[in-house]
């Protein structure tokens, strides 16, 4: 009799705890996601993912491609039933490739939209402006494309889907020294961008250690359109190649102006050259030039070919590296949320650390600094078209 009573008390106690628990979890996930509406079950509301990229401004083609990559990945997950049984929704912000705009975008996504994770941004200076905000808020972030090493050094919530510039600069220097047989190089770079200054430095270091000579090393302020002063100094020093690790608008103009000044050798660049606008700006001046990149649509890998086909059908143009990295980065983040079994920031961060993902830009597993170790491709521009030259493994 006594036992029965104790049992009944226990059962009712348990019921109270369970009820209370539901109310509590209901509340907490509502504050965490705050997707609006209160009568609905939390589970049926979409999971909000922040996306940042420059769709206007001086890096607009990067943003357009990246955003299309984000969207395509998201749509594929939703077509398969979403993540954790819920739909996923992109809340997108344009940072115009401006670090102040990027900081505002990250704050808005986190504080106003209450996104559970952020995919972005694209340029290294913008990711460096956003990363401390994500880190402080405990919101996991993955940049698809920012290659400057400092980005992931911001903290343990910050990841990237691309290789880093010490590798990219080394690949370029080796290619220039060994394949192009250059012994003298001139470098021209934007001093106002973390990506450009970093890549110029990493190239210089490796080229010199191979025995090459940097005959001129010329910086220019952000926003420059007339490069004659820097190019004259460089060309006077008689380099075999010019290394231009900048964004496409600058690279196109630099190539054009270098040709006008009489330079006929190859101009070599980094992933920043990957834009349909490069040839529009540079025209014939960028033919027979080379750049390092993350991805080539000409890869024979069946996974890449399927992606290229589907993307081209959807958007009416072939994917560039930014589209491919945007697609991989979004897939990695959604896979991590699925693996975490939760939209809790700390749990997603832990799941990201353990990711093992076969993407269209290669195999992605993070090292202890949250950078993937991946190969690079060399692209040559011929008749205004990108042609694949070779793949270089780390
Ligand atoms: N790597 C560049 C940066 O860090 C961004 C970029 C990636 C541009 C890929 C073009 C292609 O700023």
């Amino acid at each position: 009799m006594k036992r029965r009573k104790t049992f009944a008390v226990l059962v009712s106690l348990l019921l109270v705890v369970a009820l209370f628990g539901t109310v509590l979890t209901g509340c907490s996930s509502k504050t965490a996601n705050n997707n609006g509406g209160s009568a609905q079950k939390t589970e049926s509301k979409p999971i909000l993912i922040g996306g940042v990229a420059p769709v206007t401004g001086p890096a607009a083609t990067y943003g357009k491609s990246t955003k299309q990559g984000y969207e395509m990945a998201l749509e594929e997950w939703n077509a398969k039933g979403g993540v954790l049984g819920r739909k996923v929704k992109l809340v997108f912000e344009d940072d115009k490739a401006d670090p102040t705009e990027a900081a505002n975008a990250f704050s808005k996504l986190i504080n106003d939209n209450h996104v559970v994770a952020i995919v972005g941004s694209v340029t290294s200076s913008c990711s460096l402006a956003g990363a401390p905000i994500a880190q402080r808020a405990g919101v996991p972030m993955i940049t698809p494309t920012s290659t400057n090493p400092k980005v992931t050094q911001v903290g343990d919530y910050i990841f990237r889907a691309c290789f880093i510039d010490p590798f990219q600069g080394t690949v370029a220097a080796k290619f220039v020294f060994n394949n192009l047989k250059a012994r003298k190089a001139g470098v021209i770079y934007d001093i106002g961008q973390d990506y450009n200054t970093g890549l110029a430095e990493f190239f210089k270091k490796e080229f010199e250690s191979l025995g090459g000579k940097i005959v001129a090393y010329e910086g220019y302020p952000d926003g420059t359109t007339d490069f004659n002063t820097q190019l004259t100094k460089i060309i006077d020093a008689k380099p075999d190649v010019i290394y231009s690790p900048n964004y496409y608008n600058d690279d196109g103009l630099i190539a054009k102006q270098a040709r006008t000044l009489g330079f006929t050798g190859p101009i070599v660049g980094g992933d920043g050259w990957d834009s349909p606008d490069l040839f529009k700006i540079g025209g014939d001046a960028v033919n027979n030039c080379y750049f390092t990149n993350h991805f080539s649509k000409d890869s024979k890998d069946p996974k890449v070919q399927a992606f290229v086909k589907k993307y081209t059908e959807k958007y009416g143009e072939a994917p560039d590296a930014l589209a491919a990295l945007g697609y991989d980065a979004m897939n990695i983040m959604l896979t991590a949320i699925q693996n975490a079994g939760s939209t809790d920031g700390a749990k997603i961060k832990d799941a990201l650390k353990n990711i093992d993902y076969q993407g269209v830009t290669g195999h992605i597993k993070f090292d202890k600094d949250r950078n993937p170790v991946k190969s690079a491709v060399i692209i040559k521009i011929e008749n205004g078209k990108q042609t694949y030259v070779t793949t270089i493994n780390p």
Side-chain angles (χ1 to χ4, degrees):
M1 193 60 192
K2 207 179 162 205
R3 268 205 164 164
R4 268 205 165 171
K5 233 186 186 166
T6 334
F7 185 65
V9 170
L10 247 172
V11 167
S12 31
L13 247 173
L14 270 174
L15 264 171
V16 169
V17 169
L19 247 170
F20 205 55
T22 322
V23 170
L24 273 183
T25 12
C27 273
S28 67
S29 46
K30 219 180 89 197
T31 28
N33 298 320
N34 199 19
N35 297 352
S38 54
Q40 273 181 13
K41 262 173 63 198
T42 311
E43 282 70 31
S44 63
K45 290 182 205 158
I47 297 175
L48 301 185
I49 310 290
V52 187
V55 289
T56 60
T61 74
Y62 297 163
K64 180 179 177 231
S65 298
T66 309
K67 184 169 182 255
Q68 289 177 172
Y70 294 167
E71 282 167 350
M72 189 167 142
L74 224 91
E75 281 168 27
E76 287 177 0
W77 278 82
N78 280 334
K80 288 182 294 183
V83 176
L84 306 175
R86 294 161 63 185
K87 290 276 184 243
V88 272
K89 198 174 158 222
L90 179 69
V91 188
F92 184 79
E93 287 291 325
D94 175 12
D95 69 17
K96 310 180 173 83
D98 174 338
T100 309
E101 297 274 351
N104 290 340
F106 273 67
S107 297
K108 178 177 174 287
L109 289 171
I110 294 168
N111 301 324
D112 301 348
N113 301 110
H114 304 279
V115 299
V116 304
I118 294 179
V119 187
S121 186
V122 170
T123 62
S124 288
S125 293
C126 283
S127 291
L128 277 164
I133 299 166
Q135 177 70 30
R136 264 197 307 276
V139 172
M141 149 181 168
I142 182 166
T143 165
T145 55
S146 295
T147 44
N148 187 280
K150 289 183 289 186
V151 176
T152 44
Q153 287 164 12
V154 168
D156 61 343
Y157 279 73
I158 319 298
F159 297 77
R160 82 177 96 217
C162 50
F163 53 61
I164 56 174
D165 287 334
F167 171 66
Q168 177 166 217
T170 301
V171 166
K174 282 188 174 148
F175 178 76
V176 162
F177 191 90
N178 296 327
N179 300 56
L180 302 182
K181 310 275 180 229
R183 293 297 174 265
K184 291 188 288 174
V187 179
I188 180 164
Y189 66 100
D190 185 337
I191 56 169
Q193 294 284 346
D194 293 282
Y195 160 74
N196 314 44
T197 50
L199 195 48
E201 194 53 44
F202 300 124
F203 172 85
K204 177 174 185 278
K205 199 170 159 223
E206 179 68 17
F207 192 68
E208 285 174 341
S209 84
L210 289 166
K213 193 164 186 308
I214 301 292
V215 292
Y217 196 74
E218 292 295 315
Y220 62 84
D222 208 30
T224 301
T225 51
D226 179 346
F227 301 94
N228 278 290
T229 312
Q230 293 81 6
L231 285 171
T232 302
K233 280 191 201 159
I234 293 172
I235 295 166
D236 281 351
K238 304 215 174 328
D240 303 318
V241 303
I242 294 178
Y243 188 55
S244 176
N246 303 299
Y247 295 137
Y248 62 90
N249 279 300
D250 294 3
D251 299 314
L253 290 174
I254 286 169
K256 242 184 150 162
Q257 293 170 19
R259 299 302 181 216
T260 307
L261 289 170
F263 183 73
T264 53
I267 305 172
V268 177
D271 51 356
W273 279 47
D274 194 9
S275 168
D277 282 3
L278 178 79
F279 190 76
K280 287 188 196 152
I281 299 160
D284 202 34
V286 297
N287 278 329
N288 301 315
C289 291
Y290 301 85
F291 65 99
T292 44
N293 208 2
H294 307 264
F295 165 87
S296 167
K297 64 179 184 345
D298 301 325
S299 159
K300 297 278 173 291
D301 181 341
K303 191 175 163 107
V304 175
Q305 280 314 309
F307 167 70
V308 171
K309 185 166 179 280
K310 196 169 169 191
Y311 184 98
T312 309
E313 280 165 9
K314 188 168 164 54
Y315 296 109
E317 61 195 5
D320 55 16
L322 296 121
L325 285 168
Y327 178 79
D328 275 353
M330 181 58 77
N331 272 313
I332 290 166
M333 189 55 91
L334 299 183
T335 304
I337 298 173
Q338 184 73 43
N339 290 353
S342 162
T343 56
D344 174 72
K347 291 195 178 127
I348 299 170
K349 179 251 302 169
D350 289 336
L352 276 168
K353 277 188 190 161
N354 296 319
I355 220 87
D356 189 331
Y357 185 79
Q358 186 58 47
V360 292
T361 62
H363 190 91
I364 294 162
K365 266 172 98 161
F366 297 113
D367 66 13
K368 63 170 193 359
D369 301 315
R370 298 163 301 284
N371 299 317
V373 180
K374 298 165 77 183
S375 48
V377 295
I378 307 251
I379 306 282
K380 183 178 186 187
I381 303 165
E382 277 175 321
N383 305 317
K385 295 221 159 46
Q386 294 189 10
T387 56
Y388 168 82
V389 178
T390 183
T391 299
I392 293 165
N393 296 318

